[in-house]
C-alpha cells in the first residue's frame, strides 16, 4: 500500500500533474535528494499511446535517470510507413522511411528514435519513483495557491468515495505540469499565444487488429478526403489508429467501436483483417501555442502547460522532458 502524504518528508516541490513531464521532474528531483510531492486530479492513470515517439535526446535523459533499460524492454524501432493503393487497399504503392537508421557511436550511443506508448513510459517512471517512496496521489487536485517571498501556499482537495478532504501546505516551489488546460498557467495569468486548427482534427484510438503485419506503419487515403493510419505498438496485436481527413465524420466515429471499424473498412477496404477491441477513443485537435514565460516567482509551468505542438516528431512529449531536466526554467524569448 502506498504511504500517505503525511508519512513523507515535507516536500520542497509540489508538482501538479503526473504526465511524462511531471514524472520526469519528480524523478530528477528525488535523485538529487530534493523532497517532492506529485498529485494528479484524475482518478486513474492515463491510457493510450499519446506521446509515443521517443527521440534520442530523451533516451539520453532516461539513461541518465537510470530507467532506460526498462523503457527499452518493450520499445519498438520507428518502422517505415507503407502507403497502400486504393480502392483495393492491399497492394503497397510505396514505402516511406520515417526515421532512417543511423549507426550509434561510442560518443553518441542513442541516435535512433523508438516507439514507446506514453502510458507505458509513465508506468516505468512511476515504478522508479516508487524506489524513493514517491507515489502519485490520484484524485488530488490543486485548487488554489498564493505566492510568498520565500514559499508557496498551495490548497489541494483529495476526493475519495464521494468525500473531499481539503489540505493546505507550504512548499518552496510549485510546478504546473497539468496539461494544455493548465490551472497553474491560468492562475498565473500567462498568455498562451498561437492557433487552433480544427480542420486538421483526427480521431486517435488503440485498436486490436489480427492479420496485419507489424513491420510497417500502414496508411490508406490522405487528408484531402479520408485517411487511416495504423501503427504497431509495443503491445502485440494492438495498433494505434489515426483517422481523419476533410470528409471524415469525427463525431460519428466517437460513438463507439462499430462506427470506428466501419470507417476503417470504408477507407481501407481491408475486409481480410479482424478488428477486435477498440479503446482510448479521443478526438485530437491540433494546437500550436506557447506561454509568454515559463515562470512567475516561485511557480513554474512545464510540458503541455507551457507549449503545445503538432504531433510531428513527437515534439510535445520530448520538449516536455527537456523542460523537466533543465537546470532552471527561463522566460520564453
Amino acid at each position: 500500500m502506498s504511504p500517505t502524504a503525511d508519512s513523507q518528508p515535507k516536500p520542497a516541490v509540489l508538482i501538479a500533474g503526473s504526465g511524462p513531464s511531471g514524472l520526469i521532474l519528480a524523478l530528477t528531483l528525488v535523485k538529487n535528494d530534493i523532497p517532492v510531492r506529485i498529485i494528479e486530479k484524475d482518478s486513474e492513470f492515463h491510457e493510450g499511446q499519446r506521446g509515443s515517439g521517443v527521440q534520442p535526446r530523451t533516451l539520453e535523459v532516461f539513461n541518465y535517470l537510470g530507467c532506460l533499460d526498462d523503457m527499452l524492454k518493450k520499445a519498438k524501432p520507428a518502422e517505415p510507413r507503407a502507403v497502400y493503393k486504393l480502392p483495393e487497399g492491399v497492394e503497397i504503392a510505396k514505402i516511406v522511411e520515417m526515421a532512417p537508421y543511423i549507426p550509434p557511436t561510442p560518443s553518441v550511443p542513442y541516435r535512433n528514435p523508438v516507439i514507446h506508448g506514453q502510458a507505458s513510459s509513465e508506468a516505468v517512471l512511476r515504478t522508479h519513483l516508487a524506489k524513493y517512496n514517491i507515489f502519485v496521489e490520484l484524485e488530488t487536485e490543486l485548487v488554489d495557491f498564493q505566492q510568498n517571498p520565500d514559499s508557496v501556499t498551495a490548497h489541494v482537495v483529495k476526493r475519495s468515495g464521494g468525500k473531499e478532504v481539503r489540505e493546505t501546505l507550504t512548499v518552496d516551489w510549485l510546478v504546473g505540469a497539468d496539461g494544455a488546460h493548465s490551472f497553474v498557467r491560468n492562475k498565473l495569468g500567462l498568455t498562451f499565444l498561437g492557433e487552433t486548427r480544427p480542420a486538421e482534427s483526427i480521431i486517435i484510438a488503440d485498436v486490436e487488429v489480427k492479420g496485419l503485419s507489424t513491420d510497417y506503419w500502414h496508411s490508406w487515403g490522405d487528408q484531402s478526403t479520408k485517411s487511416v493510419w495504423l501503427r504497431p505498438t509495443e503491445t502485440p496485436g494492438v495498433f494505434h489508429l489515426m483517422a481523419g481527413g476533410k470528409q471524415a465524420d469525427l463525431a460519428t466515429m466517437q460513438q463507439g467501436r462499430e462506427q470506428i471499424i466501419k470507417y476503417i473498412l470504408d477507407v481501407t477496404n481491408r475486409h481480410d483483417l479482424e478488428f477486435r477491441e477498440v479503446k482510448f477513443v479521443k478526438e485530437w485537435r491540433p494546437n500550436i501555442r506557447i506561454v509568454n514565460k515559463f515562470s512567475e516567482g516561485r511557480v513554474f509551468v512545464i510540458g503541455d502547460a507551457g507549449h503545445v505542438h503538432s504531433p510531428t516528431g513527437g515534439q510535445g512529449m520530448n520538449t516536455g522532458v527537456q523542460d523537466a531536466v533543465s537546470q532552471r526554467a527561463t522566460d520564453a524569448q
Side-chain angles (χ1 to χ4, degrees), residues 57 65 75 102-103 111 172 176 200 214 232 243 254 284 291 294 323:
R57 183 67 182 100
L65 294 175
I102 304 175
R111 305 187 71 176
D172 295 327
E200 299 176 20
T214 59
Q254 291 183 78
W284 183 84
V291 289
F294 285 87
D323 293 344

Side-chain angles (χ1 to χ4, degrees), residues 152-291:
V152 179
T153 301
H155 306 274
V156 302
V157 173
K158 187 171 186 66
R159 300 178 175 91
S160 179
K163 297 181 179 179
E164 292 188 353
V165 177
R166 294 183 175 269
E167 178 186 0
T168 299
L169 64 153
T170 301
V171 293
D172 295 327
W173 310 95
L174 170 65
V175 179
D178 50 345
H181 301 287
S182 172
F183 166 77
V184 174
R185 183 188 67 240
N186 291 327
K187 171 75 175 178
L188 288 176
L190 306 181
T191 61
F192 205 37
L193 300 178
E195 61 178 321
T196 300
R197 298 178 180 176
E200 299 176 20
S201 298
I202 60 174
I203 292 296
I204 59 175
D206 291 346
V207 183
E208 189 177 359
V209 185
K210 185 177 181 181
L212 191 60
S213 167
T214 59
D215 294 335
Y216 304 104
W217 295 21
H218 305 270
S219 65
W220 298 263
D222 58 66
Q223 281 295 107
S224 66
T225 53
K226 295 181 179 180
S227 68
V228 166
W229 285 39
L230 287 168
R231 173 181 59 74
T233 71
E234 70 276 8
T235 302
V238 175
F239 289 74
H240 182 56
L241 168 70
M242 292 168 280
K246 291 184 178 179
Q247 298 176 12
D249 187 346
L250 304 189
T252 297
M253 270 192 278
Q254 291 183 78
Q255 292 177 6
R257 174 186 179 277
E258 298 306 318
Q259 293 297 332
I260 287 180
I261 293 175
K262 180 180 184 302
Y263 176 86
I264 295 173
L265 292 175
D266 286 346
V267 176
T268 68
N269 201 29
R270 291 297 298 267
H271 294 272
D272 57 314
L273 303 176
E274 181 179 343
F275 297 93
R276 297 177 176 176
E277 184 180 4
V278 176
K279 55 186 178 181
F280 181 65
V281 179
K282 181 179 180 181
E283 179 180 353
W284 183 84
R285 179 170 294 186
N287 282 278
I288 302 92
R289 298 181 182 277
I290 191 168
V291 289

